[in-house]
Amino acid sequence: MTADGERVAGELVTGELVTGGGRLAAARAAMAAAGVDALVLRPSPDFRFLGGAGDGFLVVTAEVCEETGDPDALVPAGARRVGVDPEMRVRELFGLSLEAELVPAAAVLAPLRLRKEPDEVGAVTRAARAVAAVLARARELAWFGATERAMARRLAAMLLESGCEEILSVVVAAGEHTARPSHRPGDRVINPGDALHVSLCGRWAGYCAEVARVFAVAEPPEDFEAMYSVVLAAHAAARRAVRPGVTASEVAAAAREVIDGSGYGRFAAPHAGRGVGLSHQEGPWLRAGDDTPLQAGMTLCVEPAIYVPELFGARVADVVVCGPGGAAALDAGTIAGGEAGVWTGADARGGLGVVAGGLDVAGVLWVLDR
């Protein structure tokens, strides 16, 4: 990439907000900067970002932006580099008859998707609040004697009833399973004395949000509350660190400092969060090495965690938007710790409105009594 190309790409990321009407122009400028002659996208977050709505391919070049069943016909004959969708299936890749170097389209489009328009933040907010409301109602369910799988199915049904158009994940982990970051609900019976991790991720109007909470069944395991308090403190530290100009790695470091200082450092999750939007896992990543500067309009899932193998773990996840003055809660009313502002929508200038307070959970461990 040329020096000029790097400058242009940087301006697209750090300058004006990339709006719906300007996305195609921004994508074409980024393609030119990266030396990419065409994009071939399948139905995916990148596909939807550029207006794709069908089930074929979306081809973008300097002259065309068109959905088609035959992408080869729209890619210029002399194309040297073609950006392909990262979600492209193997048979779709092998089906392309292009005499060009294939590169990930995400290198062009991911930077453009980092900062969200107010209506995008609104969609993430609706997803976050729907998920958080289901989690709040989860406290009223009968957990004793049920299996993880049965409760996950119950929560999935509640999530659909809430208005979410798609369920991306439902995690119910009990006891020692809470120490497994990638646990899938199984046949383990939920018993009194268990720690319980519940995480829900849903999509609303195309945009995603995930919220995770920690419960104790009847009473918490020995030493669990001390570990959980560290996770909450790390979560609050990460939220306080979120503001424009701070890098993603600095937010992660704020959470990690709390966990390291507690003595649980070797059990900490490798990241403290990630971006959410059209995908439930996108940049920036709140981890060491990601030096992406945060900007107003970035939506993030803040999710520090501690996992003590074969014993228990705790992960608390909330969705926030980076506002001009810091993090604003999008799942308002149930955020852990109760120390963030609340996003109130766009103001008359298209900015992000934030008010303080309005949160009702002060980091108390939710104890299930049935």
Side-chain angles (χ1 to χ4, degrees):
M1 186 182 295
T2 67
D4 284 345
E6 291 173 349
R7 178 182 61 78
V8 171
E11 289 176 354
L12 290 171
V13 175
T14 61
E16 293 293 323
L17 178 65
V18 178
T19 62
R23 288 179 182 177
L24 183 58
R28 283 172 169 156
M31 289 166 60
V36 172
D37 301 301
L39 298 177
V40 178
L41 308 175
R42 69 173 307 278
S44 68
D46 284 339
F47 176 92
R48 293 191 293 273
F49 179 73
L50 290 182
D55 57 6
F57 295 91
L58 180 68
V59 176
V60 180
T61 70
E63 291 79 27
V64 303
C65 178
E66 185 176 329
E67 290 187 51
T68 178
D70 181 16
D72 293 338
L74 295 179
V75 175
R80 293 173 298 171
R81 301 183 80 210
V82 175
V84 294
D85 200 296
E87 297 189 13
M88 191 85 77
R89 299 183 179 95
V90 172
R91 62 179 175 81
E92 292 170 335
L93 282 172
F94 278 101
L96 297 176
S97 300
L98 301 175
E99 297 294 331
E101 177 188 3
L102 302 183
V103 298
V108 171
L109 297 178
L112 306 184
R113 289 171 45 196
L114 288 173
R115 188 178 177 190
K116 308 300 190 290
E117 299 175 58
D119 66 325
E120 292 180 285
V121 178
V124 175
T125 301
R126 287 190 289 273
R129 293 185 177 177
V131 170
V134 171
L135 272 175
R137 290 171 54 203
R139 289 177 289 178
E140 304 168 2
L141 302 179
W143 293 83
F144 292 12
T147 65
E148 294 172 337
R149 182 177 288 111
M151 296 309 295
R153 288 172 177 166
R154 179 75 182 275
L155 292 169
M158 293 168 64
L159 197 56
L160 288 176
E161 291 168 0
S162 75
C164 283
E165 65 198 38
E166 183 180 358
I167 300 170
L168 298 176
S169 72
V170 176
V171 175
V172 175
E176 69 284 359
H177 291 173
T178 60
R180 300 177 181 177
S182 302
H183 179 69
R184 293 187 177 184
D187 292 326
R188 189 196 188 282
V189 174
I190 299 165
N191 297 307
D194 281 339
L196 190 66
H197 167 239
V198 181
S199 172
L200 303 177
C201 184
R203 192 189 303 275
W204 189 296
Y207 287 79
C208 310
E210 179 176 3
V211 180
R213 289 288 176 265
V214 177
F215 302 91
V217 184
E219 60 182 0
E222 185 178 359
D223 298 329
F224 183 79
E225 287 182 279
M227 183 271 292
Y228 175 67
S229 69
V230 174
V231 174
L232 281 180
H235 188 278
R239 291 202 317 270
R240 286 193 297 268
V242 172
R243 60 184 182 276
V246 171
T247 66
S249 60
E250 287 173 326
V251 176
R256 189 59 190 251
E257 182 179 4
V258 171
I259 297 175
D260 285 347
S262 73
Y264 281 100
R266 63 195 177 104
F267 302 120
H271 69 271
R274 82 279 184 184
V276 293
L278 286 167
S279 172
H280 69 293
Q281 292 187 342
E282 58 184 50
W285 286 88
L286 305 182
R287 63 187 177 196
D290 189 336
D291 294 324
T292 303
L294 301 188
Q295 303 173 63
M298 288 185 175
T299 47
L300 309 165
C301 180
V302 178
E303 53 172 358
I306 293 173
Y307 301 109
V308 183
E310 305 304 323
L311 191 59
F312 47 58
R315 170 175 165 267
V316 174
D318 284 296
V319 182
V320 304
V321 61
C322 181
L330 299 188
D331 48 357
T334 60
I335 195 169
E339 297 180 8
V342 180
W343 184 70
T344 60
D347 61 24
R349 299 161 298 180
L352 300 171
V354 180
V355 299
L359 307 175
D360 65 4
V361 176
V364 176
L365 181 65
W366 287 352
V367 178
L368 305 171
D369 59 5
R370 57 176 174 167

